[in-house]
Structures are given as C-alpha cells and as structure tokens.
Amino acid sequence: MLYNGVYINPDIGGGSMVGRKSITPLEIRKITEVGRHAVGRGLYLQVSKWNTRAWVYRYQIAGRRREMGLGSCNAVTLAHARALAKRYGELVKEGVDPKIKRDAEIVENVTKQVWTFNRCAEAYIEAHSPSWKSAKHKEQWKNTLKQYASPVIGTLPVRDVNTAAIMRVIEPIWLTKTETASRVRGRIERILSWSIVNGYRDHPNPAIWRGNISELLPKPSEVSEEKHHPALPYKEAALFMQELSNRNTITAKALAFTILTASRTSEVIEASWDEIDFKEKVWTIPKGRTKSKRIHRVPLTDSLVVLLEGMPRLGGWVFPSPRAGKHISNMAMLKFLKTTMKRPDLTVHGFRSTFRDWAAEVSPYPRELAEAALAHVLADKTEAAYQRGDFLEKRRELMQDWHKFTHEGLANLAILQSA
C-alpha cells in the first residue's frame, strides 16, 4: 500500500503500525516484496527486483526531502541501522544535514589513509632524526620542506609525485638559491626512497640527480660559487685572542675553548662535565654528538684545564646559560663575535679553517694529524682502514703549539718552522 507516496509493506503493520519498535530481525528477513518498507524514525528497508536488501534513511531539512543509504542488510544489522537513524535524526533537529556531514567524514578518513608526500616526510623525519647530530638539523629538514616542497607536492599522494612535480619545487630557486634547492632535492629523494621501500610508491625515484634531474638543470657548481665560512687569517689569531682574553663572560670563554680545541659549535655548547677527564686532560665527545658519528677525544692544554676549572658548576653543562638547566644557545658565540667583538666578517666555524691553514702553512705537523684534530674522516677508505688510532698524544703536541701561536704571535713562525 502507499503511505504519503511511500510503499508500506502490510507484513510489518501497514500504515497504522509504521515504526512499530517490536519488529524483529526475523520479521525483516521475511520481507521479500519489492519496494520500501517503513521501519520507523525515517528508517526504511529497501528491497530491489534483484532481491538485494539495503537500509535507507529519509529526512527533511531546510524544506527539502532527502535520503541516504545506510548499507546492505548483510553488513548492517537492524539494531545498527536504528542507531544510525536515531543519530542522524538528532543531527537534523540541530539543523545539520547528516548526509553532508557523513560524506565529509568519509573524505577526511580517506585522506588520512592516503600516504601523501607530507605524511611520508613526517614519517621519514621521525624515523631518522634520532641519528642526526642535533635538533637543529631536524628543524632544518622540517623548515625547508615546509617552505619549498609542501606548497607544491605536500598533499599529493606520494605515488603520484613525478619528476615534473619535483621540478616545480626546485626550478624556481635553482639559480637564486642553489645550495638550498640542491638540499631540498636531496631530501625529497630520500623521502621518496623511503616510501618506495615501504611500498607506498613504485620505482623509479623521480628525484634522483644522475640521469634524471641532471639532464634538466645545470650542476650546482656551474651556477653557484662555493661559499666558505668567513675565517680569520691565522696571522691575526694572536691579536684576536688578546682582545678576546679581555672578556670574562661564559660566552667569551666558550669561544676561546672552541678556537683552541678547533671544535664545532654544537660540540662545545653541549659539552657536559662528565665528558671532561681532568686527570688525563682529555675531553671525550661521544659519537652521538659528533658529525662523524665516532667518539672524538680532544687533548686539553694546561691553559684549557685552568679555563675549565674556573667555570661555574651550574648544572651539568660546561658552558651554562643564564636560564637554569640549559647550555648557551648555538647562536650565542656568533652574536658575541658580531656585536661584542665587532667582527661581523667572521663566523665561529671559520676558526676551524684558521687552525687548518696554520697547521698546513706554518706548523711542521703532517696533514693527517691536523685532519684528526678536526675529527675529519679520511676520504681514502684504504688509508682509513689502516689508521685505527686517533694520534692523541701527537695531537696534544699539535694543540699545545696552536695555543702558543695564538698567544705569542708571529714570533712562533720562526720557532715552528725550524722545529
């Protein structure tokens, strides 16, 4: 029979019993006549001429009659269908169209399940960042990808990222920000390799350089001059150290320590007292904090031991920050150079070059000793395989002479060259 234009099956009570709550799943299974059969609260059982059976929810919102499928009777039970109808009815009362809301939720869930480039990038960073040398390195990855890659390919399914898409990321900055563009390309390549290994996309990797991007763009070395950290000429080291000795701040002492040990900024600012062996006069940097991922022992001269003994013991850091529980920031020494020392032309890292130039041009020590002092890994794998020691005692002599040179000036030139 028809009820308000809708077919009502008499088997479930006809028009007078529409929505009877006592109807059972068994009674539902007995309904075979083609049409829509009212169950109540806008819920209907729809039987097709092919004998398929599904739930339909009908409602009216903003003066319009609408309906939405709730699934097959084989997958959705009567109780579940009724619960859905009740939930959607409450949304209608609130003025919310349940079909629009449900469809939006489905799209959101599907999006979450798709491995986009952004999602793969986040997973790659989380997987690999524990092995990176510092939190700063992790932030650099995040920031460059956010600024350059994400706006172009971030929401793309990773399987759809191709060479053309990558070119849209790096080509606009290849000539103006070559070094940055090259790093972004390399990071994209690693993320895509990770996604290939994990089965989220197929080979090949569209971000590889050789035989791929190399055919579309000039080499970085052809469009950008190699930039070195500004370094102090070694002949000016004594005068600089004399000026530095007039400063008595923790940052000034950290800079002096950095210069006299030829160390990296992060290694110094993160130094802790348990790494210092005053008896043996050795500072041992654990492999987790070195660029080479190997333990690096630094011989300490008598003057450096005195410097360390005079440092305040505020927490576990050798060079503590005024902020309790922290070490000085990675920008503290650079800011000190530029503002206090009035040397905006220099960088902290550049003092490693100052040391290296002095070792090569003035000192009598062999190249491998200077490289060991800088914690550089030998490029020659065969040579590296045979060189298993770290020349600690010989480096102690080297660093002592470096200290003499930086504190006694050019008079050391003749002494060292005749040694």
Side-chain angles (χ1 to χ4, degrees):
M1 63 180 290
L2 290 176
Y3 180 75
N4 286 340
V6 179
Y7 180 82
I8 304 299
N9 191 333
D11 289 345
I12 60 172
S16 62
M17 299 185 69
V18 172
R20 180 165 61 90
K21 291 184 178 181
S22 60
I23 188 168
T24 65
L26 178 60
E27 290 174 309
I28 289 292
R29 285 196 294 271
K30 289 181 178 180
I31 300 173
T32 58
E33 191 168 352
V34 175
R36 282 186 181 168
H37 309 274
V39 176
R41 292 186 176 177
L43 179 63
Y44 292 84
L45 168 67
Q46 180 169 283
V47 181
S48 74
K49 62 181 179 180
W50 296 284
N51 199 34
T52 58
R53 303 153 60 79
W55 301 110
V56 176
Y57 176 66
R58 300 192 74 200
Y59 60 99
Q60 182 172 310
I61 191 166
R64 294 179 58 197
R65 294 185 65 84
R66 302 202 66 186
E67 62 180 47
M68 57 194 295
L70 303 184
S72 166
C73 290
N74 295 329
V76 181
T77 64
L78 172 61
H80 189 192
R82 276 178 166 158
L84 289 174
K86 180 180 179 182
R87 174 192 170 198
Y88 294 146
E90 291 171 350
L91 290 174
V92 171
K93 290 178 183 179
E94 296 172 4
V96 178
D97 190 320
K99 187 173 188 303
I100 293 177
K101 181 175 176 61
R102 185 191 64 178
D103 291 349
E105 290 173 347
I106 291 173
V107 170
E108 183 180 358
N109 289 334
V110 169
T111 300
K112 288 180 179 178
Q113 294 171 9
V114 171
W115 280 88
T116 62
F117 177 82
N118 276 349
R119 186 180 179 189
C120 290
E122 291 173 4
Y124 177 90
I125 291 172
E126 288 307 309
H128 290 269
S129 59
S131 67
W132 294 344
K133 60 183 179 180
S134 67
K136 181 182 177 181
H137 190 50
K138 180 178 180 179
E139 289 306 309
Q140 288 173 339
W141 265 73
K142 287 184 175 181
N143 293 338
T144 54
L145 292 172
K146 180 180 180 180
Q147 183 174 356
Y148 299 107
S150 293
V152 181
I153 61 176
T155 58
L156 281 180
V158 71
R159 63 177 178 272
D160 294 337
V161 176
N162 54 27
T163 299
I166 294 167
M167 288 294 292
R168 291 199 299 273
V169 175
I170 63 175
E171 189 172 23
I173 58 172
W174 193 257
L175 298 180
T176 57
K177 300 178 180 179
T178 309
E179 184 177 354
T180 298
S182 183
R183 287 178 178 173
V184 171
R185 183 209 62 78
R187 288 167 184 173
I188 293 174
E189 179 183 350
R190 292 186 183 184
I191 291 166
L192 295 184
S193 291
W194 179 91
S195 68
I196 290 171
V197 172
N198 280 281
Y200 302 133
R201 67 165 290 130
D202 296 326
H203 281 286
N205 187 329
I208 60 173
W209 172 257
R210 183 170 296 181
N212 187 46
I213 302 293
S214 64
E215 303 304 314
L216 303 174
L217 295 171
K219 294 179 181 179
S221 59
E222 295 175 349
V223 296
S224 177
E225 292 184 6
E226 185 179 1
K227 294 182 179 180
H228 298 283
H229 292 277
L232 181 75
Y234 67 86
K235 293 182 180 180
E236 299 177 18
L239 180 60
F240 180 87
M241 292 302 293
Q242 183 179 359
E243 294 177 0
L244 182 59
S245 66
N246 294 327
R247 314 290 179 175
N248 196 36
T249 65
I250 289 178
T251 302
K253 292 180 179 180
L255 180 58
F257 188 84
T258 302
I259 295 171
L260 295 176
T261 58
S263 299
R264 295 181 171 88
T265 296
S266 62
E267 295 170 346
V268 172
I269 65 173
E270 296 174 12
S272 57
W273 287 113
D274 59 1
E275 296 173 358
I276 307 296
D277 185 335
F278 284 98
K279 182 179 179 181
E280 298 296 329
K281 298 181 181 179
V282 173
W283 168 35
T284 302
I285 309 174
K287 62 181 181 181
R289 295 206 305 105
T290 64
K291 187 175 182 179
S292 64
K293 298 304 177 186
R294 300 188 306 182
I295 291 175
H296 180 53
R297 295 192 298 168
V298 181
L300 299 174
T301 61
D302 291 339
S303 62
L304 286 179
V305 170
V306 171
L307 183 152
L308 292 174
E309 289 176 339
M311 293 298 297
R313 296 297 181 101
L314 302 176
W317 306 112
V318 174
F319 300 103
S321 166
R323 298 169 59 187
K326 296 183 178 294
H327 55 68
I328 60 173
S329 76
N330 66 314
M331 294 299 292
M333 289 189 285
L334 181 60
K335 184 178 179 181
F336 176 83
L337 264 178
K338 295 183 181 300
T339 58
T340 306
M341 299 294 290
K342 309 299 183 184
R343 296 301 302 263
D345 56 317
L346 301 178
T347 65
V348 180
H349 194 84
F351 284 101
R352 285 167 58 84
S353 295
T354 302
F355 166 78
R356 189 66 185 86
D357 291 342
W358 166 81
E361 298 186 27
V362 177
S363 83
Y365 299 97
R367 177 187 66 86
E368 59 267 22
L369 213 58
E371 292 295 292
L374 292 167
H376 284 167
V377 177
L378 292 176
D380 188 323
K381 294 183 178 180
T382 301
E383 184 181 0
Y386 284 99
Q387 182 182 305
R388 298 186 181 183
D390 63 358
F391 305 120
L392 179 65
E393 293 309 316
K394 289 185 177 180
R395 285 193 290 115
R396 191 181 296 280
E397 297 175 13
L398 168 66
M399 302 315 291
Q400 183 62 46
D401 283 345
W402 169 236
H403 175 271
K404 286 182 181 179
F405 180 83
T406 57
H407 285 73
E408 297 177 16
L410 298 179
N412 283 288
L413 281 170
I415 297 173
L416 292 175
Q417 287 176 332
S418 62

